[in-house]
Structures are given as structure tokens and as C-alpha cells.
Amino acid sequence: MTEILTKRECNALSAFKYGVSLYSYTEDLGTVMSLEDAFDHVAGTGSTGIEILGETSIPTYPEPTSAWLDNWFALLDRYQLEPTNMAAWVDTRITIGRNMSAQEGTAQIAQDLRLAHRLGFKFLRPKFGVIDGDLTPDPIWEPAVERNLDLAQQLDIVILPEIHSPTPIRHPVTDAYIAFIERTGTKNFGLMIDTGIFQDRPLNKWGGGETDEIRKGALSFLNGIKVPVEHLVDVIKYVPFIQAKFHHIDETLHDHHIPWDRIVPMLKKLGYAGYLSSEYEGARDPWVSIEQVRRQHALIRKLEAEYDAAHGGNLHA
Amino acid sequence: MLERSHIQSTGFHNIGPVGARTGFEVRIRQPNYRSSRLSLIEGVDLVIDGVEYPAEQSRIRVGDREYTHAEMAEETVARLYVGTFFTVIVPKEGGLAPGVHHVASSIRFRHPYFPPQFQPVFVRDARHATIILP
């Protein structure tokens, strides 16, 4: 309980909201870590938010059992965490020879919106299948989302595709999402920034499922696409949620790939007050993720405090 | 909970009548970070002691249900969940000899959100595992 009180005090003083995606604990979950263990680790960082992957965390996705739901709400209450984003997938190339229709994509998103709402989430990130190396989403994304805007509004959920390496901010994929927001005038669709786009040094171990073929054939992705943090200015008004992707932070709190010392001041300058939801994607040795996530929270909180101190104290207290 | 390796120690055994084995089974942890529709698994290839057992000749058991390679490719509803395993059922007259074998697996995962040149990706594992009963 002491830790929970401390956590509340911390967040009263900060502009960012801190959370953790259970993606961080990939490979540990299901082998050496239970869902309740994960809640304990997330709460132990001082976070207020927890992000899940629907089909990963719910053992009978898309239909949780009543026992699972009871446990879910009990854990949220016990660890004083709020559901933030639920990650979902629109598996467009659903069989080798057939792509999903727009109707099927619509049904997939509707199903996940209802599930996310049932569990208390405010954001849904559908990951669409792509048609090229620039990660251009399958064209069904647009009708599938548009047909769900009324439902998303009813359920008070914002649908967020992610801007994820190797797709930068200034790119036709991002432009198409923004054009959609402007055309429809919707408040229920926005952009999720994955901080992996700012990676500016090469990865020596990618925890997202590295294979020999990816190591040889995806060099730009593994080396980092180095999006300038200044490009956030272009899109920040569409960004209510950020996945704080990272791969390795050493014992001096130095991140080897992601330039937090430039990202944090830029987000502060732009007045970002949403979640930074940790997405650890480094070495997948057992339990390494727990300590890595804690280091990231220590690092970002330190940079945020330094920014506040340099700009007339804490403006958000 | 399951072993960290994809290939599990338990579940590696011969099948069929004693003295007239018809094949063997290998239990594999679902190693992806999210559950997977069966149609997104394009096959599971095995190599035991250097001998290849291609996916197209095997069957896969998920829970109580068995699928041929062709049936897997069309199964878009049933899923392999994180924290669970599936079993590869391999026909082989006489089965495998008792003792320690070198077992390698390669799962052909199709991630629709990966660039087309990485569909599928090959998720590999290899280890020693033991057959106890002839």
C-alpha cells in the first residue's frame, strides 16, 4: 500500500502519465510469469496504466470467461491500475491465398472495440496487415475503421494505428491517416507514436522476433530510421498515446538506441500529457524485462524532472 | 508453466503399438508474442538427428483436435494461445530409438503486418530431447 500511495504522489507532480505494456514481458508471460506477476511488476514501477495485447493476455480471446473477467477487475483494483490501450490485429492476409474483405475487417475491429470497452480500455490499437516494405496498410483499413467510428464514439474509445519503424512521421502512410481524421472530423481516431522511430543507433539484438533472414534483410529497420524529434511538431495534436519502445538501458541509465534526452524535452515543450507506455523489446532472457522497464521509468522521470526544474519548476503540479 | 525452449522435453515420444510404432510426436510451445490463428502458421518443419520431416507430411494437434497441413491453412478461427503448446505428429515406421536425439524445429509464421518479403518468417529452435520408451 505504501508503494501505491507513493505512486499517486508521483503522478500528481508530473505531466506525463506512466504505464507499461505487457508486451514488455514477452516470453516471460506464459513461461516464468503469470498475469498477476505482471500486474505486480507494472504497479511496482509507479505506473498508473496497464496496456495489454488482447489475444495474448486473454486466454480465451475473443471471449473472456467470467472467471477471467472477475480476476481482471480484481487485479485492477488491487494494484490500482487503469486499463490504457488494448492492442489488436487485423490479419488482412488471413490465409495464404485470400485477403480479408472490408466487411471482415470491420467485424474484427467491432469485436475488439466491444472487448476493449468491456475491460475498461480507452484506446484500441489495431495492427493492420501491410502490402509493401513501407508498411502501407491494406486498403481495407479505411472502410473498416470508418464503419466503426459511430461504435467507437458510443463506447468512448479512440482507435489508434501506430506509426512504427520503418515508417517515419513524414510519410504517405501517416499523411493518409491524418487526411482521414480531417475528412471525417472524428475524435475517435488518432495516431500512436512508437518511439522506435527515433532509434538512432543499431540494434545488436531485436526482441521482436529476430531471425537470420530479418538480420540480413531489414538493415534499415535494425539500424534505426532516426526520425528527428522535431517532426513530432507536425503530428502531436493527433497523438493521445505513445508506446515508449526501447531495447536496452544500462546501469548508468544510458539508453543505447533511443534518444530520450531529446524526446522527453520535445514532448514536454509540446505539452504532451498522455501516457508513455513502456514497450521493452530487447533481449528475451528470463526476467531481464522487469529490470529494463524499471530503468526506463527511472530515466524518463529523471529527464522530466530536469526539464521541469529548468523551466521554472513543475508547471503541472 | 512451459519450458522456455520452443521444443518441450515432455511430450517427445513414440506413437502406435509397442513393437510396431507408427511415428513420434514433438510438443512445441507457441513461441509468438500473440496468439495465432492456425491459418497464420504455414507449417512446422522438423529435423531429427539430421533427418528432415517436412510440415506437409505431419499433422498438428491443438487441444483435442488434429489438423492436416491443408486443414491448418484454412483454419481462421481456432487459435494457438500464448502459454500453450501444440503437438507435431510425425509418421515414421518404427518410431525413434530410445535415447537422446537432436531436435530442430522451424515454424513458418505469417505475420500479415510484416513486409511481404518476410512472409513467412522462420522461427527456429534446436535442443537435445529424450525418447524413453521404444
Side-chain angles (χ1 to χ4, degrees):
Chain A
M1 188 52 88
T2 305
E3 189 145 32
I4 290 169
L5 289 174
T6 306
K7 172 174 70 186
R8 283 177 177 153
E9 288 163 16
C10 286
N11 281 293
L13 298 172
S14 94
F16 296 155
K17 294 178 180 174
Y18 289 89
V20 179
S21 167
L22 296 195
Y23 176 77
S24 297
Y25 307 128
T26 288
E27 295 259 6
D28 284 352
L29 284 164
T31 60
V32 295
M33 188 187 290
S34 69
L35 182 63
E36 177 156 7
D37 294 334
F39 265 80
D40 188 41
H41 298 312
V42 174
T45 65
S47 289
T48 55
I50 186 166
E51 176 178 355
I52 71 165
L53 292 66
E55 58 186 63
T56 304
S57 303
I58 304 167
T60 53
Y61 172 91
E63 187 54 49
T65 63
S66 54
W68 191 92
L69 286 168
D70 287 348
N71 187 50
W72 169 252
F73 289 111
L75 290 172
L76 290 172
D77 186 52
R78 186 180 317 152
Y79 291 97
Q80 290 291 292
L81 292 169
E82 66 170 347
T84 57
N85 174 61
M86 189 180 96
W89 284 262
V90 184
D91 290 320
T92 49
R93 195 175 164 215
I94 191 165
T95 70
I96 292 181
R98 184 176 79 79
N99 278 22
M100 269 187 177
S101 63
Q103 190 175 1
E104 287 175 295
T106 304
Q108 177 72 57
I109 294 173
Q111 171 185 277
D112 289 321
L113 279 169
R114 291 192 175 95
L115 177 58
H117 177 68
R118 209 169 161 197
L119 302 184
F121 287 94
K122 294 298 182 191
F123 300 102
L124 176 75
R125 190 244 37 206
K127 201 169 180 80
F128 297 100
V130 303
I131 57 171
D132 58 31
D134 278 357
L135 305 189
T136 303
D138 186 301
I140 72 160
W141 79 264
E142 190 157 0
V145 170
E146 190 158 3
R147 292 172 197 177
N148 274 297
L149 289 180
D150 288 346
L151 179 62
Q153 185 178 28
Q154 287 164 28
L155 301 179
D156 193 24
I157 290 180
V158 183
I159 300 170
L160 300 175
E162 63 187 341
I163 306 304
H164 188 292
S165 179
T167 307
I169 288 174
R170 292 180 179 172
H171 188 273
V173 170
T174 314
D175 294 344
Y177 291 143
I178 292 173
F180 176 82
I181 297 167
E182 297 297 336
R183 176 175 67 77
T184 60
T186 183
K187 304 290 185 198
N188 294 94
F189 187 82
L191 302 178
M192 173 188 288
I193 294 291
D194 178 301
T195 57
I197 62 173
F198 304 115
Q199 180 198 325
D200 58 3
R201 285 147 286 168
L203 291 183
N204 48 22
K205 184 65 188 172
W206 180 51
E210 183 174 319
T211 67
D212 294 344
E213 291 81 4
I214 289 172
R215 171 57 61 184
K216 287 175 191 155
L219 284 177
S220 68
F221 170 70
L222 293 173
N223 285 339
I225 60 167
K226 308 177 184 67
V227 170
V229 296
E230 292 75 18
H231 289 189
L232 280 166
V233 176
D234 300 354
V235 293
I236 197 70
K237 69 176 180 175
Y238 305 109
V239 179
F241 194 91
I242 290 175
Q243 284 183 332
K245 170 72 55 61
F246 74 111
H247 309 274
H248 182 69
I249 297 175
D250 68 23
E251 60 274 20
T252 66
L253 293 188
H254 172 65
D255 189 307
H256 288 208
H257 314 96
I258 310 292
W260 296 107
D261 55 345
R262 284 185 278 128
I263 295 170
V264 168
M266 180 54 66
L267 288 173
K268 296 288 288 185
K269 186 177 165 189
L270 295 173
Y272 180 75
Y275 268 100
L276 290 170
S277 186
S278 296
E279 259 207 340
Y280 172 67
E281 193 175 68
R284 292 299 184 190
D285 301 313
W287 302 296
V288 164
S289 55
I290 303 168
E291 168 66 7
Q292 282 289 314
V293 168
R294 293 177 65 86
R295 289 182 187 179
Q296 189 198 37
H297 282 242
L299 171 59
I300 297 178
R301 284 184 186 276
K302 173 172 158 282
L303 291 169
E304 182 175 33
E306 286 172 1
Y307 184 93
D308 287 343
H311 291 79
N314 192 319
L315 303 175
H316 309 280
Chain B
M1 288 187 180
L2 299 170
E3 287 174 280
R4 189 71 160 207
S5 54
H6 306 169
I7 299 162
Q8 302 287 297
S9 300
T10 298
F12 185 42
H13 60 86
N14 286 317
I15 55 173
V18 175
R21 297 297 199 188
T22 56
F24 63 91
E25 294 185 350
V26 178
R27 182 182 291 183
I28 297 180
R29 175 170 69 86
Q30 198 286 79
N32 197 23
Y33 71 96
R34 64 168 183 133
S35 72
S36 180
R37 300 169 195 270
L38 299 192
S39 62
L40 298 184
I41 297 170
E42 297 186 0
V44 184
D45 301 304
L46 297 176
V47 180
I48 315 283
D49 302 327
V51 179
E52 295 181 9
Y53 298 92
E56 287 72 10
Q57 296 170 17
S58 303
R59 296 164 68 86
I60 301 287
R61 185 168 62 248
V62 180
D64 297 330
R65 172 103 192 255
E66 284 186 18
Y67 298 86
T68 64
H69 185 258
E71 288 167 343
M72 286 270 287
E74 295 300 318
E75 178 54 69
T76 59
V77 176
R79 288 174 179 270
L80 277 175
Y81 290 97
V82 173
T84 69
F85 64 83
F86 60 93
T87 300
V88 186
I89 306 164
V90 183
K92 181 184 187 317
E93 197 175 327
L96 295 171
V100 179
H101 296 269
H102 187 264
V103 183
S105 61
S106 175
I107 307 173
R108 307 176 213 161
F109 268 112
R110 186 175 68 259
H111 302 309
Y113 57 87
F114 269 27
Q117 67 267 34
F118 297 118
Q119 295 185 29
V121 292
F122 301 92
V123 177
R124 302 181 179 92
D125 190 28
R127 57 167 287 182
H128 286 99
T130 303
I131 293 280
I132 298 175
L133 300 175

